[in-house]
Amino acid sequence: MDFLAAILALATLQISDCQAEGLSGEEICAVISAQQDAWNAGDIAGFMDGYWQDEALRFASGGTVTHGWQPTLERYLARYDTADKMGRLVFSDVDVTLLSETAGTAFGRWTLEREADRPTGLFTLVFELKNGEWVIVHDHTSAGDAGE
């Protein structure tokens, strides 16, 4: 992401409670915000833009581990094949920690606001700076009751 794109992304940041320090932390928040926006537009492929497009991507959720960008995309497309299943995605309580100049983590809560239910859970994302862009290289997402 070039500097101007980063500034524009920050200007439209929708996640009001993403806690991060410095430009790199804010850029990670912008990736997460763009994912939320893409999801809420019904754009799973756009949501996947936040992930590293590589076979080494690891996505863990629901007791299974998926390796690779394409299999992760296919998993999302199979599970969320209607607007009702997708619902409205809300990320909250996001805390970004920079581990180095090229690595960071984000921890937070996800909630799907749907007509029939409101599933929620936690996520931990590992980001790396690759080719000038922050991308998710590992995603561990869990489901749970908001009252836990």
Side-chain angles (χ1 to χ4, degrees):
M1 175 182 296
D2 65 20
F3 182 73
L4 181 57
I7 296 301
L8 290 174
L10 292 174
T12 61
L13 194 59
Q14 297 284 323
I15 303 173
S16 61
D17 59 351
C18 186
Q19 303 298 314
E21 291 187 21
L23 183 58
S24 292
E26 292 173 356
E27 288 174 344
I28 289 172
C29 286
V31 170
I32 296 167
S33 181
Q35 283 191 299
Q36 177 180 276
D37 292 345
W39 185 275
N40 292 334
D43 182 6
I44 291 177
F47 174 83
M48 288 294 297
D49 284 346
Y51 288 94
W52 184 28
Q53 293 190 23
D54 193 274
E55 293 177 11
L57 169 68
R58 183 176 63 204
F59 178 83
S61 180
T64 62
V65 178
T66 304
H67 294 277
W69 186 89
Q70 187 65 39
T72 301
L73 170 63
E74 290 168 5
R75 183 180 191 278
Y76 273 116
L77 290 171
R79 291 178 59 94
Y80 300 100
D81 58 347
T82 68
D84 287 341
K85 288 180 185 176
M86 287 184 75
R88 180 176 176 273
L89 177 62
V90 177
F91 289 129
S92 59
D93 305 321
V94 180
D95 183 25
V96 173
T97 302
L98 293 177
L99 304 173
S100 71
E101 291 181 5
T102 60
T105 63
F107 175 81
R109 174 170 296 282
W110 63 269
T111 302
L112 285 182
E113 297 175 344
R114 302 190 293 203
E115 190 171 320
D117 61 359
R118 194 176 158 98
T120 187
L122 302 173
F123 63 85
T124 301
L125 308 172
V126 177
F127 281 84
E128 288 185 13
L129 186 61
K130 295 194 178 282
N131 299 319
E133 295 187 17
W134 286 98
V135 292
I136 301 163
V137 298
H138 303 289
D139 177 337
H140 183 225
T141 298
S142 64
D145 178 48
E148 288 182 345

